[in-house]
Amino acid sequence: MHHVSDVAERFGTAAHHIGGRAVEGSGGATGTHSVVDPASGQAVWTYRTAGPADVDAAVAAARAALPEWAAASPGERSQALHRLAGVLDGMAEDLARAETAQCGKPIRLSRGFDVPGTVDNTAFFAGAARQLQGVAAAEYSPDHTSYIRREPVGVVGSIAPWNYPLQMAAWKILPAIAAGNTIVLKPSELTPLTSLMFAQAATEAGLPDGVVNIVSGTGPDAGEHLVAHPDVAMTSFTGSTAVGRRIAALAAGGVKRVHLELGGKAPFVVFDDADLEAAVHGAVAASLINGGQDCTAATRAYVQRPLYDAFVAGVADLMRDVRLGDPADPDTDLGPLITHAHRDRVAAVVERARGYADVVTGGAAPGGELAAGAYYLPTLLAGAPQASEAVQQEIFGPVLAVLPFDGDGEGLALAGDTPYGLAASAWTRDVYRAGLASRTLAAGCVWINDHIPIVSEMPHGGAKASGYGKDMSLYSFEEYTQVKHVMSDNTAVARKDWHRTVFTDRSHR
């Protein structure tokens, strides 16, 4: 199995980026933590985690950098982000290899999706930095001129997950700093490498020290302290709904702005006039991307009865052809899951499902040379009841449940019948069915005849238990700004008519 040989050389033992410099952690309550290559189970790097003192230092650095960065012109911030996009592009292969080593994601995905997507996001927000606009000056009251200022919120304290560490770091850092905020980001303790590389790139690109800070540590030790910190004005979190509730509760104590991108259980609705081949290929790609460790992954396929048997057979055939292997090998389709413990949780859901569903294919960890890694075979479950665990709960693995439906309304009702609402897709050649699905499905994103593609210009974020707030796009940019209304009197009249509603003018008597 391939390792990133230069991790120790690149990072030494410093797992934190504070005030523009690599910093050793205090160890916090956790002490040390190892980044493990899930393909082999071997440690890639061991570092001292961040504790509350490290978080305090990072927040202090972000607070110190805030006045200068907030006062920079949109053009200056834009130029800095354009330089950052160039630096990231120049280290694309290093980023891809590091992402694959810490996550186990196939190098083809890292090279073809995670890294170029991050470079593109950076270029997008470099442009967006110059599009910070409020309502133009106007006289909404005849006696006053009003205008809107969009100002930075302050220091942002964000927490990113382990499934797309580089992209999630970028999604949190870029809109925040483009709008003139400074940020402290806590990546998952499992996957800090590419977030640190992103922060190093920011320093190399000439962003002022303290604008982008990284603290690598656990949620209880570092994350909770960051969210509750009195100098943090806003928190953005991507992760599970259960932890999201905890984050929101902590932030409520300080009346902080909160942005939550939580779990999902995306439906994949196939109507009887759909292109069956497209739906089969789309379902396999959308359920297996990143090992299914994607909150927008297709997890529940609802197939209208005339196509149901052919869809089940087609998906099972395609899943059996998927190549598991060393994620550093460009021929590998599916790598391991993030940890052995997570793989075992996924396997346990499938084992319980044997009692109420048919495991059409998969349902096991591979043996042989892959036995040492956290691998799990692509798995198709058929006939699971709508109320069952496999259909209602987020599995976060390479598992797709397929259920039949009859009428269009039934299919859409089943699709909407979960607590989540992050993403959904509908497959049909009928423009009216597509329109009905796009209006009916409660989700932050509805795809028609596709499932998974994202673009920097369009927002990503959910509804219901999937949280609130948007990543990417100008919609996310707005969330990292404070709207200020400025209203100026135009009359120079000392004694105004509206004063009479408060007191009588007696001076003329």
Side-chain angles (χ1 to χ4, degrees), residues 20-208:
R21 279 169 283 285
V23 176
E24 285 258 6
S26 65
T30 316
T32 60
H33 189 87
S34 292
V35 175
V36 174
D37 173 0
S40 64
Q42 301 298 310
V44 176
W45 187 49
T46 300
Y47 65 91
R48 287 173 64 183
T49 56
D54 306 296
V55 172
D56 288 344
V59 172
R63 191 179 179 193
L66 183 64
E68 180 192 347
W69 185 245
S73 72
E76 288 170 327
R77 292 199 292 261
S78 175
Q79 286 177 334
L81 289 174
H82 277 300
R83 291 194 302 270
L84 175 56
V87 173
L88 292 168
D89 198 36
M91 56 196 280
E93 181 61 15
D94 282 352
L95 285 165
R97 287 174 180 266
E99 198 75 324
T100 286
Q102 66 181 352
C103 299
K105 70 175 71 203
I107 191 70
R108 278 206 327 265
L109 186 66
S110 294
R111 286 177 179 149
F113 181 69
D114 296 70
V115 173
T118 299
V119 173
D120 185 71
N121 261 269
T122 309
F124 171 80
F125 278 108
R130 306 184 85 144
Q131 295 296 315
L132 244 190
Q133 296 168 349
V135 178
E139 286 66 49
Y140 298 97
S141 139
D143 294 342
H144 305 82
T145 296
S146 284
Y147 65 93
I148 296 293
R149 293 176 58 87
R150 282 194 171 274
E151 298 180 346
V153 178
V155 175
V156 178
S158 293
I159 300 176
W162 50 257
N163 57 339
Y164 292 98
L166 176 63
Q167 286 211 80
M168 298 294 107
W171 287 13
K172 305 223 166 297
I173 292 168
L174 292 167
I177 67 173
N181 304 283
T182 56
I183 190 167
V184 179
L185 176 83
K186 189 199 86 66
S188 167
E189 68 275 16
L190 302 175
T191 55
L193 297 179
T194 47
S195 300
L196 286 166
M197 292 167 77
F198 189 97
Q200 289 173 352
T203 296
E204 192 179 323
L207 273 80

Side-chain angles (χ1 to χ4, degrees), residues 270-272 303-310 403-407 410:
V270 183
F271 292 102
D272 59 16
V303 184
Q304 210 151 21
R305 214 168 288 274
L307 294 186
Y308 179 79
D309 290 341
L403 295 81
F405 71 91
D406 292 304
E410 180 196 4

Side-chain angles (χ1 to χ4, degrees), residues 176-345:
I177 67 173
N181 304 283
T182 56
I183 190 167
V184 179
L185 176 83
K186 189 199 86 66
S188 167
E189 68 275 16
L190 302 175
T191 55
L193 297 179
T194 47
S195 300
L196 286 166
M197 292 167 77
F198 189 97
Q200 289 173 352
T203 296
E204 192 179 323
L207 273 80
D209 294 346
V211 173
V212 177
N213 306 276
I214 307 289
V215 288
S216 307
T218 65
D221 203 18
E224 297 208 357
H225 190 69
L226 176 62
V227 170
H229 198 291
D231 289 337
V232 169
M234 173 180 173
T235 187
S236 169
F237 168 78
T238 298
S240 73
T241 297
V243 177
R245 289 191 188 98
R246 172 73 181 151
I247 298 284
L250 285 169
V255 199
K256 298 177 196 292
R257 192 177 299 196
V258 184
H259 175 299
L260 299 174
E261 204 267 88
L262 308 176
K265 190 73 178 173
F268 186 103
V269 183
V270 183
F271 292 102
D272 59 16
D273 68 329
D275 180 330
L276 180 65
E277 184 186 16
V280 166
H281 282 79
V284 173
S287 62
L288 299 185
I289 186 170
N290 206 40
Q293 299 169 129
D294 183 316
C295 41
T296 63
T299 60
R300 300 178 291 133
Y302 295 97
V303 184
Q304 210 151 21
R305 214 168 288 274
L307 294 186
Y308 179 79
D309 290 341
F311 179 90
V312 170
V315 168
D317 284 348
L318 205 48
M319 279 185 166
R320 290 185 193 107
D321 283 342
V322 167
R323 292 185 61 168
L324 278 68
D326 178 356
D329 182 346
D331 288 336
T332 292
D333 296 326
L334 193 68
L337 299 182
I338 185 68
T339 61
H340 288 72
H342 180 60
R343 190 270 313 274
D344 293 347
R345 282 193 294 273

